Amino acid sequence: MVLYLIGLGLGDHKDVTLRGYECIKESVAVYLEYYTSILGVDKAKLEEFYQKPIVLADREYVESRAEEIYGQAKEHKVSLLVVGDPLAATTHVDMILRCRKEGIPVEVIHNASAMNAVASCGLPLYQFGYTVSIPLFEGEWRPSSFYERIQYNQKGGMHTLCLLDIKVKEPDYDALTKHGKVRFLPPRFMTVNVAIEQLLSVEEEKKEGVVTADHYGIGVARLGQPDQLIVYGKLGELLDVDFGAPLHSLVLCGEIHPLEQELLEYIRVGNIPTKKIERVAEVDDNASDAGSV
């Protein structure tokens, strides 16, 4: 029959298109891809709205057990729901290729994603260059290939959209080693603040002046949701803004037209109400522990 790849948009259960809603209602099986992004509502709310049971498909499910999803589409209508737009992640392109090889029809129903809704910050989409992903650094693992892409964009006067890492249902390898049981770590979502800290640390290593505390950027939180927060300022200023709950993304500004600058002034740090992030003071390991009990 057919596999529907359906974009859910960025907000909540009501952001699905009418065409997408109809396809979900027609499907015998509905899966929700649950690792490239998250929606503003949980699975239960989606099931209530669509009146359909939904299977959560995490990274392992989509990448290792994909045949269980598209295999049913040989004889039935099946929906794979994707937060944002279905083709914003290469995982879903892989799903289309697998279906093509099996002769299974695929219908893509598009929706808003961070890739186009980022225009809410006031910068035109045609002035953006490469989009980069910034992963959470882990110990000695500090990949920085994004730096060259940012530099390329900067030389062309283009803005850079930075998609920030999320980790959902990540295995706890320490627990597996110690107890022989598969356990999962709590979800982690990179904040604008952590992204800036990592960018500045890479700049400190490379020293090419691509990303400094004096460069301008735009922090974006919960894009497309009622409580979205968009703040413009120097990276050093954004570092202290509390952007609140996930998901976050970051725009590194290139050349800015005077008209765009006028619009950005309305969302500049200090011109809109924001909270200052609370930073935990660093503990001096050599300090006396007198007074502890």
Side-chain angles (χ1 to χ4, degrees):
M1 291 290 283
V2 63
L3 174 67
Y4 297 119
L5 293 179
I6 302 174
L8 296 182
L10 298 169
D12 58 23
H13 53 294
K14 294 181 180 179
D15 279 5
V16 68
T17 65
L18 179 57
R19 174 63 179 149
Y21 179 81
E22 292 172 343
C23 291
I24 293 170
K25 298 292 285 185
E26 294 171 1
S27 296
V28 299
V30 181
Y31 296 85
L32 173 62
E33 183 263 271
Y34 188 68
Y35 69 93
T36 58
S37 188
I38 59 170
L39 202 61
V41 294
D42 60 16
K43 180 173 80 82
K45 190 68 177 179
L46 294 177
E47 290 178 325
E48 178 186 353
F49 184 71
Y50 302 137
Q51 293 295 296
K52 287 276 188 178
I54 296 174
V55 177
L56 283 181
D58 58 19
R59 181 186 297 274
E60 188 276 333
Y61 201 122
V62 174
E63 294 184 351
S64 301
R65 301 166 58 189
E67 189 174 356
E68 294 182 23
I69 299 175
Y70 67 76
Q72 299 176 72
K74 292 179 180 179
E75 298 181 359
H76 305 283
K77 294 180 178 181
V78 176
S79 288
L80 176 60
L81 312 184
V82 181
V83 178
D85 186 88
L87 298 187
T90 54
T91 295
H92 312 119
V93 175
D94 177 69
M95 182 75 76
I96 292 173
L97 287 172
R98 295 188 189 203
C99 288
R100 293 274 169 83
K101 292 174 181 178
E102 295 287 337
I104 300 170
V106 178
E107 183 174 340
V108 179
I109 295 125
H110 294 283
N111 209 318
S113 75
M115 303 288 283
N116 53 26
V118 70
S120 296
C121 73
L123 301 177
L125 293 176
Y126 56 79
Q127 281 296 104
F128 280 77
Y130 282 115
T131 295
V132 302
S133 296
I134 302 181
L136 282 161
F137 291 168
E138 302 279 356
E140 297 299 314
W141 187 74
R142 296 165 54 87
S144 59
S145 58
F146 51 78
Y147 187 88
E148 284 70 29
R149 291 293 178 96
I150 294 170
Q151 186 176 47
Y152 179 91
N153 289 346
Q154 190 181 84
K155 288 180 179 178
M158 297 176 286
H159 314 302
T160 303
L161 171 61
C162 303
L163 302 177
L164 309 188
D165 200 5
I166 71 172
K167 293 188 179 295
V168 179
K169 204 175 179 183
E170 293 284 316
D172 185 340
Y173 293 109
D174 288 339
L176 181 62
T177 301
K178 292 177 181 178
H179 309 291
K181 295 181 180 179
V182 178
R183 295 179 181 175
F184 298 99
L185 297 167
R188 290 189 295 157
F189 306 95
M190 181 184 280
T191 64
V192 168
N193 318 87
V194 170
I196 294 174
E197 288 173 352
Q198 292 190 180
L199 285 167
L200 294 179
S201 71
V202 172
E203 178 60 50
E204 184 65 25
E205 296 170 3
K206 295 185 178 288
K207 300 184 184 303
E208 296 183 35
V210 174
V211 186
T212 72
D214 288 328
H215 276 87
Y216 282 92
I218 304 170
V220 181
R222 300 172 300 285
L223 186 61
Q225 299 182 22
D227 63 342
Q228 75 174 17
L229 178 64
I230 304 176
V231 186
Y232 165 73
K234 292 183 178 180
L235 296 183
E237 296 172 325
L238 297 178
L239 198 55
D240 291 325
V241 175
D242 185 350
F243 284 89
L247 293 171
H248 294 185
S249 53
L250 175 67
V251 175
L252 301 175
C253 298
E255 295 176 0
I256 299 176
H257 186 276
L259 187 63
E260 297 161 8
Q261 186 66 54
E262 184 178 350
L263 182 58
L264 289 171
E265 290 302 319
Y266 285 97
I267 58 170
R268 182 188 277 273
V269 173
N271 290 347
I272 61 172
T274 59
K275 294 181 181 179
K276 191 170 183 178
I277 196 166
E278 295 184 7
R279 296 188 177 277
V280 179
E282 292 185 6
V283 178
D284 185 349
D285 291 335
N286 297 319
S288 170
D289 58 358
S292 62
V293 293

